[in-house]
DNA sequence: GCCAATTGCTTGAAGCCTAAAGAAATTGAA
DNA sequence: TTCAATTTCTTTAGGCTTCAAGCAATTGGC
């Protein structure tokens, strides 16, 4: 039995430098792309990224979504969604109504105008993303998808461990 | 000569769905991890993520940095840095002085207290990150690093193309 | 030296975001 | 039925963030 190795595990700090560098690189990539997308959305359509993201969620839900659904999907706070929705209703992109079966619940949908405008933006948005990743081969893309899925699973597990 | 393939390239929309899904997954991963780190920083040290990030930049620059340097490194606006620095000077973590050679320039550094506190936070922060990525093998980590580096390069090229 | 352009930073307006507290509606156990 | 617990959403305070406009200092071409 090797006492040293046991002692080591407890007393010596492990080397987590690689993971830290991975996190920083992930963050840099995302920040870079997010910034590009944000400024293009503003220049071309005078819309903010959070508004675009919210409309994207609703575009996939023709029946509408509750504010809680949106909050979970976008991984932002409830209060945040309340404000975002308020502004998008104000600008005529969203329709909001109280659920008949539960009067606490607000159901929101894209208006006709909102949907048309989103589709127009989304088409162009997709080409920006393709441009941003244009140096990656299809294999790179697949491999990144796979590894990020694994990373996501790992992060979710860690988050739920913490939540206890 | 294949006329069809030329026509296709111009008239038919290409399929960029994979790149879009990759972007969404990248964003989800980052948001998830960022949220975990933010709440742990708040719970354990009552500090915000932007403050931590700024201190991390300064920890690596014993000679100090100018606000512009910080702004570029953190990829945030100048005005943002002005406010962040203001609050961290106020709380005694940062020292700020006007450069003698150029009176427009503000040089900021960690104070003794700021550095000590950052080191304490950073040590724990590193273990959180390791925990978050604990399902990834060393090979996964290497491979992700490589592919993200490639993605970063691609995104930077796209951003500079756009800037013209 | 002069002054136009540039650089570094700050300010102000608007919007995004969180955490925490609170209001209103629903649920479910006794 | 009753009412405590839960759920859904809003509100508030504080901080983060961007963009655009503006001020002050420096630089570079003449």
């Amino acid at each position: 039995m090797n006492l040293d190795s046991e002692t080591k595990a407890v007393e010596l700090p492990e080397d987590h430098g690689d993971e830290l560098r991975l996190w920083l690189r992930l963050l840099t990539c995302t920040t870079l792309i997010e910034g590009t997308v944000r400024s293009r959305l503003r220049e071309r359509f005078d819309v903010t990224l959070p508004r675009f993201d919210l409309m994207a969620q609703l575009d996939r839900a023709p029946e509408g979504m509750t504010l809680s659904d949106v909050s979970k999907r976008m991984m932002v706070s409830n209060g945040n969604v309340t404000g975002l929705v308020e502004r998008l209703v104000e600008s005529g992109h969203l329709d909001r109504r109280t659920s008949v079966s539960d009067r606490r619940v607000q159901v929101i949908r894209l208006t006709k105008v909102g949907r048309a405008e989103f589709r127009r933006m989304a088409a162009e948005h997709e080409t920006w993303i393709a441009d941003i990743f244009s140096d990656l081969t299809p294999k790179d893309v697949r491999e990144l998808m796979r590894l990020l899925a694994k990373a996501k699973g790992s992060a979710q597990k860690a988050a739920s461990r913490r939540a206890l």
Side-chain angles (χ1 to χ4, degrees), chain A:
Chain A
M1 159 179 179
N2 183 345
L3 195 73
D4 255 16
S5 70
E6 284 198 5
T7 311
K8 232 190 211 167
V10 177
E11 293 182 359
L12 293 183
E14 291 182 53
D15 177 32
H16 300 317
D18 285 348
E19 283 85 355
L20 190 53
R21 273 186 290 276
L22 174 58
W23 165 231
L24 294 177
R25 188 161 296 181
L26 189 63
L27 188 56
T28 298
C29 269
T30 301
T31 304
L32 190 59
I33 297 171
E34 216 173 42
T36 302
V37 171
R38 179 179 12 254
S39 65
R40 290 194 183 191
L41 280 175
R42 187 180 49 77
E43 285 165 15
R44 289 278 298 134
F45 303 112
D46 193 31
V47 74
T48 65
L49 188 50
R51 276 162 156 96
F52 179 82
D53 286 344
L54 175 45
M55 292 173 82
Q57 292 299 329
L58 291 176
D59 187 55
R60 293 195 242 164
E63 309 303 308
M65 297 174 81
T66 70
L67 298 205
S68 294
D69 288 344
V70 172
S71 169
K72 278 174 202 121
R73 282 298 200 84
M74 295 181 70
M75 296 191 275
V76 299
S77 68
N78 275 347
N80 189 0
V81 174
T82 295
L84 263 176
V85 166
E86 200 166 73
R87 287 182 289 270
L88 279 166
V89 167
E90 173 65 24
S91 64
H93 294 86
L94 259 55
D95 172 79
R96 156 203 237 156
R97 61 187 59 172
T98 301
S99 162
V100 287
S101 61
D102 184 339
R103 278 179 298 171
R104 289 169 305 179
V105 174
Q106 303 287 312
V107 177
I108 55 174
R109 302 163 203 242
L110 287 174
T111 60
K112 206 168 173 180
V113 168
R115 187 173 302 275
E117 191 162 325
F118 172 73
R119 292 277 170 88
R120 204 163 54 84
M121 296 190 291
E124 200 164 321
H125 172 264
E126 197 169 297
T127 69
W128 300 338
I129 300 301
D131 180 45
I132 284 168
F133 287 129
S134 58
D135 281 0
L136 299 184
T137 66
K139 187 184 166 195
D140 288 338
V141 173
R142 276 197 310 276
E143 202 51 11
L144 261 177
M145 286 288 282
R146 183 181 73 79
L147 290 167
L148 287 173
K150 196 169 176 183
K152 178 180 163 187
S154 186
Q156 279 172 330
K157 255 170 48 181
S160 64
R161 267 198 298 278
R162 178 201 141 278
L164 300 181

